Amino acid sequence: MPQSNADEPGRNDSQHPSGDQHSSGDRLPSGDQLPSANRLPGAFEADLPPLISGAEPETQERFLEFFLAEIRNENTRKAYGRAVARFLRWAGRQDFSLEGISPMVVSAYVEQLKAKLAPATVKQHLSAIRRLFGYLQAAGALPENPAEPVRGPKHNPREGSTPILTAEEASRFIEGLPTDSIKGKRDKAIIGVLTYTFARVSAVVNLSQEDYFQAGRRRKLRLQEKGGKRRDVPLHHKATDYLEEYLEAGGRLEEKSEPLFRTMTRQGDLSGRQMDRTAVLRMVKSRASDAGLDPDRVCCHTFRGTGITAYLQNGGKLEVAQHIAGHADASTTKLYDRRRELVSKEEVEKIGI
């Protein structure tokens, strides 16, 4: 019988599932979510949206094939699954058949989304719908792609929406984390790695013990990022200290292929199971709340943005920050550069009234 997992009482992934942005306003109402979409692709086979379950077997097969073969990134698969399921249920409630969905239908749906969700999220939903119907059209399951001519809202952000901490706030928060238990040491190591490597949480939870290694006089982490790309990142001495304290307290295993960051059992011991990003998100919000920070304004990406901003504030080069963060384009890195925002706050405080 599997051991119970104290870190995973129930999944509630409120983090943006596929990109670098996070916005609490992007969460969908629970009644509009398809629970099985969080477990794509397998669970869709048992819980297809009605418009698909009522279609021809070939169409059902192409639908599942889209998620299995066309969408390779797990986070994108989950996000697209939620978006597509929501649209198909909405279309079904309007009594449209799959073949009866036209560009006007898709456009009307997008207009409804614009009243509820952030522009970036609406564009992602439209992208999911367009790609699915394009795949069904190419496979001969539909005569045309009704989402192809539909345009989403304009969205060209110059600054990111990820909430960040000042360097002083981050330092107080991390150094103030309790380390009187293996769980505390593990949590501090995770947050330290997120901050000092600019890594995505999905890359951090996928680390194995062999991905933490000595290279000359430095410790490094081998991170696997989106698209299967792997990169070696030198570790800041503080992140190294946090990791060593955690591993010396019981996290180090002889089998190097075992997860670096493991869940806790109800007995307070490390299990053999890898943490997932939802468990890390819950941990981050809980630690933020304990530290007196607003948990609604702190997420895993907070530490990515905080680290990048602190690095640039201290004279770091944008192209180096881009390399460390694993961004394909410097414009993405710039979304995490919040120096102007921090300077503005400091300037406002000079109003001597």
Side-chain angles (χ1 to χ4, degrees), residues 130-144:
R130 184 182 292 126
R131 284 189 63 180
L132 169 66
F133 279 113
Y135 192 85
L136 294 178
Q137 179 190 21
L142 288 177
E144 63 178 10

Side-chain angles (χ1 to χ4, degrees), residues 70-88:
E70 181 73 3
I71 309 298
R72 302 307 308 159
N73 182 274
E74 180 184 358
N75 294 332
T76 303
R77 183 182 294 140
K78 292 176 182 178
Y80 276 27
R82 285 190 288 265
V84 164
R86 179 173 178 166
F87 170 69
L88 291 176

Side-chain angles (χ1 to χ4, degrees), residues 23-201:
S23 171
S24 59
D26 289 351
R27 301 175 191 174
L28 302 182
S30 58
D32 281 339
Q33 292 185 6
L34 180 70
S36 60
N38 284 328
R39 302 187 298 275
L40 276 172
F44 243 152
E45 299 170 8
D47 195 7
L48 292 173
L51 281 186
I52 299 299
S53 61
E56 295 293 326
E58 293 79 6
T59 301
Q60 296 182 31
E61 185 176 347
R62 296 290 84 78
F63 178 85
L64 292 170
E65 190 178 81
F66 171 74
F67 290 99
L68 285 162
E70 181 73 3
I71 309 298
R72 302 307 308 159
N73 182 274
E74 180 184 358
N75 294 332
T76 303
R77 183 182 294 140
K78 292 176 182 178
Y80 276 27
R82 285 190 288 265
V84 164
R86 179 173 178 166
F87 170 69
L88 291 176
R89 285 198 311 277
W90 174 86
R93 289 195 296 268
Q94 315 307 315
D95 293 329
F96 290 109
S97 65
L98 194 62
E99 294 77 9
I101 295 174
S102 67
M104 289 186 64
V105 172
V106 178
S107 181
Y109 178 72
V110 169
E111 288 302 311
Q112 290 193 22
L113 287 186
K114 285 166 62 176
K116 300 177 181 179
L117 303 178
T121 308
V122 177
K123 288 178 72 70
Q124 183 192 58
H125 280 234
L126 179 57
S127 176
I129 296 165
R130 184 182 292 126
R131 284 189 63 180
L132 169 66
F133 279 113
Y135 192 85
L136 294 178
Q137 179 190 21
L142 288 177
E144 63 178 10
N145 180 352
E148 182 59 37
V150 180
R151 295 292 169 257
K154 292 183 179 180
H155 176 65
N156 186 24
R158 294 186 178 182
E159 292 186 356
S161 60
T162 302
I164 68 165
L165 304 175
T166 66
E168 293 77 14
E169 288 172 334
S171 179
R172 286 197 302 270
F173 173 63
I174 296 173
E175 294 304 326
L177 290 170
T179 55
D180 54 350
S181 66
I182 182 64
K183 185 178 188 297
K185 292 179 172 63
R186 182 205 64 180
D187 294 353
K188 188 172 184 175
I190 292 172
I191 293 173
V193 167
L194 287 170
T195 304
Y196 288 107
T197 66
F198 313 163
R200 298 175 179 88
V201 64

Side-chain angles (χ1 to χ4, degrees), residues 153-309:
K154 292 183 179 180
H155 176 65
N156 186 24
R158 294 186 178 182
E159 292 186 356
S161 60
T162 302
I164 68 165
L165 304 175
T166 66
E168 293 77 14
E169 288 172 334
S171 179
R172 286 197 302 270
F173 173 63
I174 296 173
E175 294 304 326
L177 290 170
T179 55
D180 54 350
S181 66
I182 182 64
K183 185 178 188 297
K185 292 179 172 63
R186 182 205 64 180
D187 294 353
K188 188 172 184 175
I190 292 172
I191 293 173
V193 167
L194 287 170
T195 304
Y196 288 107
T197 66
F198 313 163
R200 298 175 179 88
V201 64
S202 55
V204 172
V205 296
N206 284 325
L207 286 167
S208 65
Q209 301 218 18
E210 63 188 348
D211 292 325
Y212 173 57
F213 60 95
Q214 186 88 28
R217 304 173 72 178
R218 299 292 300 275
R219 288 280 185 175
K220 290 187 175 183
L221 282 178
R222 179 162 293 142
L223 298 166
Q224 181 167 328
E225 296 285 4
K226 294 194 296 186
K229 293 183 291 185
R230 299 183 73 88
R231 59 191 180 90
D232 294 350
V233 178
L235 273 177
H236 190 281
H237 71 275
K238 287 188 177 181
T240 300
D241 290 344
Y242 303 152
L243 272 169
E244 285 297 316
E245 187 176 359
Y246 157 61
L247 291 171
E248 288 301 324
R252 203 184 306 272
L253 296 175
E254 292 184 7
E255 182 53 62
K256 296 300 183 182
S257 62
E258 292 295 319
L260 181 61
F261 296 116
R262 293 174 280 146
T263 61
M264 305 298 300
T265 67
R266 295 190 182 280
Q267 290 73 38
D269 302 317
L270 287 168
S271 76
R273 297 177 60 186
Q274 172 185 308
M275 291 187 75
D276 63 27
R277 66 190 194 127
T278 310
V280 174
L281 178 62
R282 284 198 302 269
M283 176 273 288
V284 163
K285 288 186 175 295
S286 175
R287 294 296 187 186
S289 179
D290 291 344
L293 299 173
D294 182 357
D296 289 335
R297 296 295 298 164
V298 178
C299 64
C300 298
H301 260 49
T302 293
F303 303 102
R304 181 170 167 87
T306 298
I308 291 173
T309 299

